[in-house]
Amino acid sequence: MGVYSLEDVLFPGIDVRLERVDFTAEAVVVVAVACGPAPRCPGCRALARRVHSSHERGLAERPLTGRNLQVRLRVRRFFCDRTSCHKKTFVEQVSGLSERYRRSSLGLKKWLHAVAIELGGRPGERLCRRLHLAAGRSRLLELLESPPVPDRAPRVLGVDEFAFRKGRTYGTVLVDVEVGRVVDVLSDRASETFANWLREHPGAEIVCRDRASAYTRAVKEAAPHAREVADRWHLLQNLASAVEKTCHQHRACLRKRADEKTSGLPEAPPLMELPLHELPRTQIIERTRHRHEDVQRLVAAGWTISAIARRLNLDRKTVRRFRDTDLDQLLASAHERRPAGVLEPFKPYLNTRFTESLGQVSGSRLFLEIRERGYRGSRQVVRKHLAALRAGNAEPVRADIPSPRKITGWIMRPRESLTDQQQERLLEVRLACPDITRACDLARAFTDLVRNRRGTFLLEWIRQAEQDAPKPMSGFAGFLSQDLDAVTAGLTHTWSSGVVEGHVNRVKTLKRAMYGRASFTLLRTRILTQP
């Protein structure tokens, strides 16, 4: 093991001579002299021969033993002897230690640059304060420079949108799918912006995208020879939406079959006639009513979906759903969002005891009875349920039927991943409604095409779906036929937008780290710089 001097430790491989080291309570001051060979003029690159003068400059270095390290470096000023050069004199720069107009060493600059990339402005400033580095957020952000974008686009280009502000402003992220690296970030998701980028950066042979029509128009306009590949995950997501909508439309079939099954059970004790059920006036129920009323009023007045979305501060998909869906279905969906409480399994028993006593039983007595049967909730919950029964606001206890989302999950998941109970319940759903059965068969057939890359059978699947499928499924099939080439390529080739979605999630993480206040320039720089 060699013996190193203090000069080798502080300035390894740097042409300086250490003169002395001064220690104070808060800092370590190192006095050094530049002793390298004569430099070249930065203007004409001529080798300097004469020294004009010398002076001392201060450089902030990385902390040493928990204290600030200051370097007082004596450098020389040289003459430039070329009469044609506009520089008469210039100051030498020590390679690996200093550069023009900077009061910190290159090593400290690298540290601050790494902090700025990982944390940004204010969080980076707080970390620098802990590390005894004198750097504010403005100084950190000045160190960020976007790397140059390649002149040519990658062979396999992935494109997807991300939200600067969800529902309002969006940007576009471009990814080299083969390498898994972000190529560039665009300030919006307009087709003209993406088309201009493709013209300025030719070379894309395959473009992996979602179902957004703006990107499709841009590719056909600026890169007509590139092959478009629709993302498989988005296809399955659209299919699941069609299946769930089918289950929503035929929920009455499930309710009818469940009631028929319960009607064959042994007779229960005679029940008193309860008041008609009314939906509780909860916040979500009232908001759904008012939103449906506002959307329908503006639609009747001739407003477009985009105009309604801007007026009501809603997403366009939300406006379309409230325009095309009945109010009863929207209210039922909103009512089902309530999580099942601890009292839910005991409601049939409470309702039976309530009717047997003609409403005269006390809540404390019923609480003691169901507590012996395993109830772990509070007494107040039982009293509230009895009060709702007397007021007519309690929902009548019916046979449990699975929600449309749960049914969709059973259909979209592989058969082997379902438990025996889930398979039995799905079979009951299929027996209850032929339309859900048809949607289930079509969904599983399409899922098989996606997972096994059988794009050659896609056209036959579309024909079957358009002939006798429920309306949401036939609409999904019609949507596929409009983008047939890209969907077929997505079900045939191995390329997909999975790596692009990963970078979209990384963009969201960076936005949260900067509290959503970062400008586009700063966000783009961190996306392109951070590995």
Side-chain angles (χ1 to χ4, degrees):
M1 184 174 180
V3 178
Y4 296 94
S5 64
L6 183 59
E7 183 175 309
D8 295 330
V9 174
L10 295 177
F11 307 109
I14 300 176
D15 292 328
V16 296
R17 183 179 68 253
L18 181 64
E19 291 199 338
R20 71 175 189 273
V21 180
D22 299 330
F23 294 91
T24 65
E26 297 180 354
V28 178
V29 181
V30 176
V31 180
V33 178
C35 58
R40 292 183 178 273
C41 173
C44 63
R45 305 304 300 168
L47 186 64
R49 298 181 183 276
R50 294 186 298 148
V51 177
H52 176 275
S53 60
S54 65
H55 69 277
E56 189 178 88
R57 61 181 297 189
L59 296 176
E61 249 290 5
R62 290 158 289 186
L64 181 65
T65 64
R67 287 183 287 186
N68 294 332
L69 177 59
Q70 297 290 332
V71 178
R72 292 181 181 175
L73 179 65
R74 180 162 292 277
V75 294
R76 297 165 289 179
R77 179 177 290 273
F78 288 85
F79 284 105
C80 181
D81 294 328
R82 280 193 179 177
T83 57
S84 59
C85 181
H86 66 282
K87 285 185 175 296
K88 301 305 178 184
T89 63
F90 62 92
V91 177
E92 67 175 331
Q93 302 299 329
V94 180
S95 177
L97 180 62
S98 67
E99 62 181 0
R100 296 179 68 189
Y101 310 124
R102 189 169 295 281
R103 296 183 179 180
S104 61
S105 67
L106 295 180
L108 179 58
K109 177 186 174 182
K110 291 180 181 178
W111 275 28
L112 298 180
H113 184 261
V115 170
I117 289 177
E118 296 296 334
L119 299 178
R122 288 184 176 88
E125 180 181 3
R126 292 193 292 269
L127 178 61
C128 288
R129 198 179 301 124
R130 291 290 187 91
L131 297 177
H132 303 283
L133 301 177
R137 63 185 181 91
S138 299
R139 183 181 179 187
L140 291 174
L141 298 181
E142 288 174 356
L143 296 175
L144 294 177
E145 297 179 358
S146 299
V149 178
D151 295 334
R152 294 184 61 83
R155 189 179 74 89
V156 184
L157 177 66
V159 55
D160 202 357
E161 64 184 22
F162 67 93
F164 291 110
R165 189 175 182 185
K166 190 172 181 180
R168 297 198 176 184
T169 55
Y170 289 82
T172 300
V173 59
L174 307 176
V175 179
D176 186 343
V177 177
E178 290 182 302
V179 181
R181 177 178 56 84
V182 176
V183 177
D184 203 353
V185 181
L186 306 182
S187 59
D188 56 44
R189 58 177 178 180
S191 60
E192 295 81 6
T193 305
F194 185 39
N196 292 335
W197 191 93
L198 290 175
R199 293 190 190 97
E200 296 172 359
H201 305 81
E205 300 178 6
I206 299 174
V207 178
C208 299
R209 58 169 177 79
D210 58 7
R211 306 290 303 286
S213 58
Y215 299 142
T216 304
R217 291 195 301 269
V219 173
K220 294 185 183 303
E221 177 184 348
H225 302 293
R227 173 175 293 175
E228 299 179 61
V229 178
D231 183 52
R232 291 184 288 274
W233 185 86
H234 286 93
L235 294 176
L236 292 177
Q237 184 187 40
N238 295 338
L239 173 65
S241 299
V243 173
E244 184 174 357
K245 194 169 185 179
T246 303
C247 296
H248 264 296
Q249 293 178 351
H250 297 276
R251 191 166 175 79
C253 300
L254 306 181
R255 175 64 65 193
K256 180 179 179 181
R257 180 172 178 82
D259 292 341
E260 289 176 354
K261 290 183 63 176
T262 56
S263 63
L265 297 176
E267 291 189 6
L271 304 179
M272 65 177 289
E273 185 177 353
L274 295 176
L276 293 177
H277 168 64
E278 296 181 0
L279 287 175
R281 301 181 67 87
T282 60
Q283 183 177 1
I284 188 172
I285 293 294
E286 294 303 312
R287 186 176 69 228
T288 302
R289 292 182 190 274
H290 295 157
R291 184 170 292 175
H292 182 269
E293 179 182 350
D294 294 340
V295 170
Q296 294 298 328
R297 185 182 70 256
L298 295 177
V299 168
W303 287 48
T304 63
I305 291 180
S306 299
I308 298 174
R310 288 191 296 269
R311 175 65 179 273
L312 301 180
N313 196 20
L314 299 174
D315 188 81
R316 295 175 71 252
K317 292 180 290 186
T318 303
V319 175
R320 188 177 292 109
R321 181 165 63 91
F322 275 82
R323 182 197 65 178
D324 300 337
T325 309
D326 294 335
L327 177 60
D328 293 339
Q329 184 175 343
L330 292 172
L331 293 176
S333 177
H335 187 55
E336 289 171 358
R337 294 180 193 175
R338 297 181 310 162
V342 293
L343 188 64
E344 200 67 28
F346 303 95
K347 284 185 179 179
Y349 178 82
L350 293 178
N351 289 8
T352 301
R353 291 284 289 113
F354 181 82
T355 54
E356 287 177 348
S357 64
L358 301 179
Q360 302 301 317
V361 65
S362 67
S364 299
R365 180 175 179 180
L366 290 179
F367 168 75
L368 296 176
E369 292 179 5
I370 62 175
R371 191 173 65 174
E372 295 176 355
R373 290 165 172 79
Y375 175 66
R376 293 295 179 264
S378 66
R379 189 189 306 263
Q380 189 64 24
V381 175
V382 179
R383 291 176 176 173
K384 286 183 178 180
H385 179 66
L386 293 181
L389 287 176
R390 296 186 177 97
N393 295 329
E395 182 178 3
V397 178
R398 296 180 175 178
D400 180 34
I401 62 174
S403 65
R405 180 166 296 184
K406 185 176 293 186
I407 299 173
T408 303
W410 295 339
I411 294 174
M412 297 300 298
R413 286 162 55 190
R415 293 182 179 89
E416 59 272 13
S417 66
L418 300 179
T419 63
D420 293 339
Q421 182 182 8
Q422 291 172 342
Q423 291 181 4
E424 292 177 2
R425 301 206 62 184
L426 180 58
L427 178 60
E428 294 178 358
V429 171
R430 290 171 60 92
L431 294 174
C433 181
D435 284 338
I436 296 181
T437 301
R438 182 57 178 158
C440 176
D441 294 338
L442 288 172
R444 286 181 166 175
F446 186 83
T447 304
D448 182 70
L449 298 183
V450 173
R451 290 172 178 157
N452 297 298
R453 312 281 171 75
R454 298 177 179 175
T456 54
F457 298 98
L458 176 62
L459 193 58
E460 179 62 27
W461 185 92
I462 292 177
R463 290 172 181 166
Q464 294 181 7
E466 290 179 338
Q467 287 178 358
D468 57 352
K471 188 175 179 180
M473 298 296 294
S474 60
F476 172 70
F479 200 34
L480 294 181
S481 61
Q482 297 175 8
D483 198 16
L484 185 61
D485 293 339
V487 175
T488 304
L491 301 188
T492 306
H493 299 282
T494 58
W495 306 112
S496 72
S497 298
V499 64
V500 186
E501 294 294 334
H503 282 288
V504 170
N505 290 332
R506 187 167 69 91
V507 171
K508 295 177 181 178
T509 303
L510 291 176
K511 282 178 49 190
R512 294 190 189 101
M514 294 184 285
Y515 305 99
R517 295 194 295 263
S519 64
F520 168 72
T521 303
L522 173 58
L523 183 61
R524 177 178 180 271
T525 301
R526 292 194 64 188
I527 293 172
L528 295 178
T529 307
Q530 195 175 52

